[in-house]
Amino acid sequence: MKIVTIKEKECQAPEACDYICVQVCPRVREGAVGTVYKRENKKAAIDENLCIACGICVNRCPYDAIRVINLPDELNKELVFQYNVNSFRTYNIVSPMEGKVVGILGRNGIGKTTNINLISNTLKPNFGDFLNGASEKEIIRRFRGKEIQPYLEKLYKGDIKISKKEQSLSFTGKVREIVKKNKYKLITDEIMDKDISSLSGGQIQSVAIAAAMDNEADVYIFDEPMNYLDIYQRLRIANIIKEKLKNKTTIIVEHDLVMLDYLTDFVQIMYGSESNYGIVSHLMQTRVGINNYLAGYLPSENMKFREHEIKIKGNVPDGSLETLASWPDFNANIGQFTLSVGQNTVYRGEIVGIIGENGVGKTTFAKAITGLVETDNGRLELGLKISYKPQFIEASDVIVRDMLISIKRDFLSSETFSGIMKRLGIDRILNKNMKNLSGGELQKLAIFSTLLRDADIYLFDEPSANLDLEDRLEAINIVGSFIKANKKGAIIIDHDLMFINAISTRAALFEGTPNKSGRMGNITRTEEAINSLLKRVDITMRKDPDSGRPRINSPNSRLDIEQKKSGRMFEI
Ligand code: ADP
Ligand code: MG
């Protein structure tokens, strides 16, 4: 069985394209006119039954809008939803479990949000009949014998009340009007009185979560709740969700593996081909499911969905102790904010992780050692050039290729950079306008362009934001080998503990009062820095023996009690 997808946004007919796909189709030439045709909205469409999958239109489409994909035949009977002609479709459906927390794990564009909409009655299963849809009665009949059937039956009767934290945070107005009760004190009084437009990303996310938790509901759904939250907010909100929604049916989509693992009892994996189709796996216990996901193989379904296994290992230092940057004790003041930093050294080929709350001087530190911010004793003259990826990336109205050429003219002929470009999928967006990129694409582009700039120190402020798990791990490998191979240095600020633990050999904890004062802790082994962080929040972690990923211990479990007693909050 095959499916054909055409990305409507990419298809430039009729304005900029004269239906090259129609012109080159051998079936059309033979007289099978309806094989490739114009839709009512003038975009191209392909009849999946008439198409012979020759691939000519796929190769000839100047806008790379067409995909022809072969699927295993047995999938046909499980098609649950398709948006439109030649559009994305999903097979199987996410299954909430009464009284349990189910996590959904999968790449960006694989259909997680689509599935959430299907179980919250924002969308209805149509079993591929996107023109007519299916009646509720038909839907119930089609799911007979499946876990989802009794759930949908109650949902359509109005017996299930759903409270949902949407992935996109499109709020406006006063916080107090959005978070009415603030039942679990997720929002401070000061923020309650503000307008959404004056808040930071993390604060808006907290508002969205608080609003969802305020509602009395039977089912709670959180679509990517940890985005933009700092590490303390993540841990605190995770604990509140765990405690307050105990025994509530809950669904959570999340790419922060440590948090997904901590929050959920079971997971369902979504795999397939991004923006073409997605398949939902069976339910698995969380630990098993995450490890299967990393392995790229589902034993119960005998399904290998990725060629390679994902390995999470700590970054190994290359042993060289050649100094790249060394600075004395210093203080720096900008506006109302004071930062104090102790004397320290960054070695060549090393990645230093930075963890801590937002607003305690992480970026100010990086700017100070590269001379962009003055210290109390004047500018530090360490002779270092910095390349900086800011936390928030602005998309300008420019073609990606031109933007990259303006940074490094000959990047396309460099072996290193063309390799990195492919691994990040930048080669596929070279002809796109930056304004049309997704959050994940924009982040990968920002990481790539930061590496393109010639510098001594590469500073990445929250590179994991908007990236799915695979992208996060790819970014770890790419940045890790680039810095090592070129004997540069990197400073990476992030709130995903798996990410920080895997990418950095040493790390520092920043502490202080946000926007007033901050202090940089010593640069120590990353595990030590995480240890200090965990002490502050009284949480313990260990490493999974199979995958090497960090896991939070359940409060008051045997390991939790033992580790707290010994003070080894992060046992490795
Ligand atoms: P995820 O949440 O896993 O990132 P989504 O469910 O948001 O994935 O999207 C899956 C695919 O469905 C994407 O390719 C997206 O472009 C497509 N899609 C989403 N909404 C629509 C729609 N209304 N019409 C057509 N395609 C859509
Ligand atoms: Mg989504």
Side-chain angles (χ1 to χ4, degrees):
M1 219 234 342
K2 70 177 166 311
I3 64 170
V4 181
T5 60
I6 300 182
K7 279 170 211 91
E8 258 192 74
K9 263 204 211 142
E10 315 288 314
C11 174
Q12 301 298 312
E15 292 84 12
C17 177
D18 194 18
Y19 302 96
I20 293 171
C21 49
V22 178
Q23 295 169 31
V24 300
C25 176
R27 292 285 287 148
V28 171
R29 289 188 188 185
E30 282 165 24
V33 176
T35 309
V36 189
Y37 60 99
K38 295 179 200 176
R39 295 186 216 185
E40 257 168 42
N41 69 4
K42 304 272 179 13
K43 299 285 177 189
I46 295 178
D47 185 314
E48 291 178 14
N49 294 315
L50 295 177
C51 166
I52 52 166
C54 67
I56 295 178
C57 62
V58 177
N59 291 327
R60 292 289 299 277
C61 170
Y63 303 98
D64 196 25
I66 310 172
R67 292 285 179 279
V68 177
I69 297 168
N70 285 307
L71 294 179
D73 281 338
E74 58 274 17
L75 276 175
N76 195 18
K77 57 179 181 288
E78 294 157 324
L79 174 58
V80 166
F81 179 79
Q82 181 171 348
Y83 282 101
N84 208 331
V85 60
N86 299 137
S87 81
F88 179 85
R89 59 210 82 180
T90 163
Y91 297 84
N92 296 351
I93 187 167
V94 158
S95 307
M97 268 178 99
E98 186 133 14
K100 300 282 181 210
V101 186
V102 172
I104 307 173
L105 188 54
R107 301 217 64 170
N108 285 334
I110 206 74
K112 300 179 299 297
T113 301
T114 303
N115 264 273
I116 285 208
N117 288 335
L118 288 169
I119 59 165
S120 54
N121 213 2
T122 310
L123 290 175
K124 280 206 163 71
N126 60 19
F127 308 100
D129 187 353
F130 44 85
L131 289 178
N132 305 304
S135 68
E136 290 178 354
K137 216 171 126 198
E138 167 76 357
I139 296 169
I140 304 293
R141 191 185 65 74
R142 293 279 294 250
F143 283 120
R144 189 165 297 156
K146 299 260 166 70
E147 290 130 336
I148 192 74
Q149 196 220 29
Y151 174 90
L152 289 179
E153 215 160 8
K154 278 196 244 166
L155 181 70
Y156 296 153
K157 268 199 221 142
D159 290 347
I160 292 181
K161 194 172 173 323
I162 289 174
S163 183
K164 175 155 69 165
K165 199 297 286 177
E166 306 271 359
Q167 177 178 358
S168 64
L169 305 172
S170 47
F171 297 99
T172 50
K174 295 252 175 292
V175 172
R176 203 172 281 287
E177 279 150 30
I178 300 159
V179 184
K180 300 235 163 56
K181 291 177 277 191
N182 195 20
K183 214 154 70 181
Y184 304 119
K185 301 273 165 281
L186 281 171
I187 310 294
T188 60
D189 287 339
E190 187 201 348
I191 291 178
M192 284 295 275
D193 289 326
K194 289 193 172 162
D195 196 277
I196 281 284
S197 59
S198 69
L199 302 185
S200 70
Q203 289 168 332
I204 298 173
Q205 188 69 269
S206 307
V207 165
I209 295 172
M213 292 193 65
D214 262 358
N215 297 328
E216 272 316 319
D218 307 295
V219 176
Y220 290 85
I221 299 177
F222 300 92
D223 197 350
E224 304 202 14
M226 297 297 168
N227 290 346
Y228 318 115
L229 298 179
D230 72 32
I231 180 64
Y232 294 107
Q233 292 168 322
R234 287 181 198 205
L235 290 164
R236 180 162 163 260
I237 287 179
N239 277 331
I240 292 174
I241 292 177
K242 263 178 113 71
E243 188 190 319
K244 303 298 179 189
L245 300 186
K246 208 175 197 163
N247 305 323
K248 289 280 187 187
T249 308
T250 306
I251 300 276
I252 300 180
V253 176
E254 182 52 52
H255 298 294
D256 180 328
L257 210 52
V258 173
M259 293 299 153
L260 183 83
D261 179 56
Y262 185 50
L263 279 167
T264 61
D265 305 307
F266 294 87
V267 293
Q268 280 183 295
I269 288 171
M270 287 204 68
Y271 59 95
S273 166
E274 300 98 271
S275 58
N276 297 312
Y277 74 98
I279 304 170
V280 187
S281 79
H282 290 128
L283 283 157
M284 288 164 274
Q285 281 200 344
T286 295
R287 174 174 180 273
V288 175
I290 292 181
N291 286 353
N292 287 344
Y293 188 76
L294 296 173
Y297 177 67
L298 301 173
S300 67
E301 293 157 53
N302 189 22
M303 181 67 194
K304 187 172 176 179
F305 60 87
R306 194 189 312 107
E307 278 310 311
H308 62 281
E309 186 178 343
I310 293 177
K311 293 223 168 62
I312 299 176
K313 43 182 193 297
N315 217 338
V316 191
D318 67 1
S320 91
L321 288 180
E322 196 187 328
T323 298
L324 174 67
S326 206
W327 58 87
D329 292 348
F330 68 84
N331 287 333
N333 290 287
I334 20 174
Q336 303 294 310
F337 180 77
T338 311
L339 170 70
S340 82
V341 174
Q343 173 273 325
N344 226 315
T345 301
V346 172
Y347 301 108
R348 285 194 181 275
E350 164 175 75
I351 295 180
V352 175
I354 300 283
I355 47 179
E357 229 163 327
N358 284 334
V360 289
K362 302 184 291 285
T363 305
T364 308
F365 158 72
K367 288 188 173 160
I369 64 167
T370 49
L372 292 173
V373 155
E374 269 201 44
T375 76
D376 290 358
N377 302 319
R379 212 169 288 283
L380 289 175
E381 302 271 359
L382 309 179
L384 297 169
K385 263 200 291 185
I386 188 170
S387 177
Y388 171 51
K389 186 204 82 65
Q391 182 176 8
F392 299 104
I393 307 152
E394 264 183 65
S396 33
D397 188 7
V398 55
I399 301 296
V400 170
R401 183 194 307 269
D402 298 340
M403 190 275 281
L404 293 171
I405 286 175
S406 74
I407 298 174
K408 194 177 177 71
R409 274 188 72 133
D410 56 348
F411 80 96
L412 281 166
S413 49
S414 142
E415 214 172 289
T416 311
F417 288 119
S418 55
I420 295 177
M421 184 174 74
K422 288 210 184 75
R423 286 168 70 187
L424 287 173
I426 308 286
D427 53 333
R428 280 179 273 133
I429 57 169
L430 282 177
N431 296 326
K432 282 198 184 181
N433 190 305
M434 223 178 143
K435 286 245 183 268
N436 296 333
L437 300 182
S438 70
E441 288 169 334
L442 211 50
Q443 185 69 268
K444 285 185 274 185
L445 179 62
I447 292 173
F448 182 60
S449 42
T450 303
L451 291 176
L452 270 187
R453 282 187 212 103
D454 189 36
D456 306 291
I457 292 207
Y458 293 80
L459 169 67
F460 297 89
D461 200 344
E462 270 203 70
S464 80
N466 291 314
L467 296 186
D468 61 32
L469 183 62
E470 268 101 327
D471 285 334
R472 289 182 197 197
L473 292 153
E474 194 67 274
I476 289 169
N477 290 331
I478 289 170
V479 175
S481 31
F482 182 89
I483 297 297
K484 245 187 250 177
N486 297 294
K487 293 203 163 288
K488 306 284 189 176
I491 295 173
I492 301 195
I493 302 162
D494 211 276
H495 302 295
D496 177 329
L497 287 178
M498 180 281 291
F499 189 88
I500 278 290
N501 185 58
I503 201 167
S504 65
T505 46
R506 296 196 303 152
L509 174 65
F510 273 70
E511 296 178 282
T513 311
N515 310 320
K516 292 207 172 71
S517 64
R519 194 177 60 80
M520 178 182 181
N522 250 331
I523 303 179
T524 58
R525 281 185 52 224
T526 300
E527 285 83 1
E528 293 283 326
I530 294 180
N531 207 39
S532 315
L533 172 101
L534 294 175
K535 270 192 182 139
R536 281 197 44 182
V537 286
D538 205 31
I539 282 174
T540 62
M541 285 180 31
R542 68 187 183 287
K543 273 195 185 173
D544 184 72
D546 294 332
S547 62
R549 65 193 162 87
R551 307 187 68 198
I552 296 179
N553 294 321
S554 312
N556 300 318
S557 62
R558 183 180 54 82
L559 283 176
D560 184 53
I561 294 168
E562 269 177 29
Q563 287 180 222
K564 275 179 187 158
K565 208 183 277 170
S566 68
R568 287 194 313 270
M569 308 300 273
F570 188 21
E571 186 74 84
I572 47 170

